[in-house]
Every structure is written in C-alpha cells, then in structure tokens.
Amino acid sequence: QVQLVESGGGLVQAGGSLRLSCAVSGRTFSAGAMGWFRQAPGKEREFVATITWTGSSTKYADSVKGRFTISRDNAKNTVYLQMDSLKPEDTAVYYCAAGSYSIRKELYYYWGQGTQVTVSS
C-alpha cells in the first residue's frame, strides 16, 4: 500500500518560513510526480506545486511562485515544500499527493492526511 505522511506544519507569523515534508512509503503505482495542494476553510482544494520523480521538472501556482520551492530526495523517498515570505492568505491545510505532472487535483490519486499551516498577521 502507498502511504503519504505530511509533517512540518504549524503557526508562523507573516513573513516567516516553514518547510513541509512528505514521506512516501510503498509503491506509487507508476505515479510520475508529486504535488502539493492546499485547502482553506470554505474553499476548494487548490494546486500549489508539483515535481516529477525524474528530471525534477516543476510547476507552481502563480500565487506562490517566487516564494515556495518544491524539491525531493529520492533516496529518502521524501518531497519537500519550502515556504518563504508567508502571507496570511497562505493559511490552509496542505496536502501532498502522488499522480501525474499536472495542476489538476483530479490527476492525483494518492493523498496524505494533510498538515495545518496557519500564518498570522
């Protein structure tokens, strides 16, 4: 079975930084990429960033480009999301997922449980 476990969330002041980690275990069933998504209260889950397992191609949502960096460590089976210059509007539950190299959440089929990120003003 595939398991994705996020960690690293917490409370941070605006302008601060957090690094989220997603530990992957089990086979990903040919999933070509890992992605980060987030969901704020009352809103739809939205794309944040994605990275391929090979080649390290990346895509970012316009709202986080230049502030967030997605990376991976294949030897550790871990994907990271470095979040800098955090804003209150970044507050959400952040989820990691395995699937296709896409901005569409529908193309990801394995999901973690999520980790809360709260940015205070």
Side-chain angles (χ1 to χ4, degrees), residues 77-99:
N77 295 317
T78 302
V79 180
Y80 305 95
L81 184 68
Q82 177 66 43
M83 305 184 295
D84 298 320
S85 301
L86 283 162
K87 304 174 181 179
E89 51 263 45
D90 295 318
T91 295
V93 176
Y94 283 70
Y95 300 88
C96 66

Side-chain angles (χ1 to χ4, degrees), residues 23-35:
V24 181
S25 62
R27 186 176 178 180
T28 56
F29 297 95
S30 298
M34 295 293 296

Side-chain angles (χ1 to χ4, degrees), residues 12-72:
V12 64
Q13 292 188 359
S17 299
L18 284 173
R19 188 183 73 163
L20 306 183
S21 298
C22 177
V24 181
S25 62
R27 186 176 178 180
T28 56
F29 297 95
S30 298
M34 295 293 296
W36 286 97
F37 292 78
R38 66 188 184 185
Q39 187 167 20
K43 295 186 177 181
E44 297 290 324
R45 190 169 299 186
E46 66 177 4
F47 168 77
V48 175
T50 184
I51 187 170
T52 55
W53 278 114
T54 59
S56 297
S57 296
T58 59
K59 296 178 182 178
Y60 295 92
D62 289 342
S63 59
V64 307
K65 190 173 296 183
R67 299 188 298 119
F68 291 10
T69 304
I70 188 170
S71 62
R72 67 167 202 270

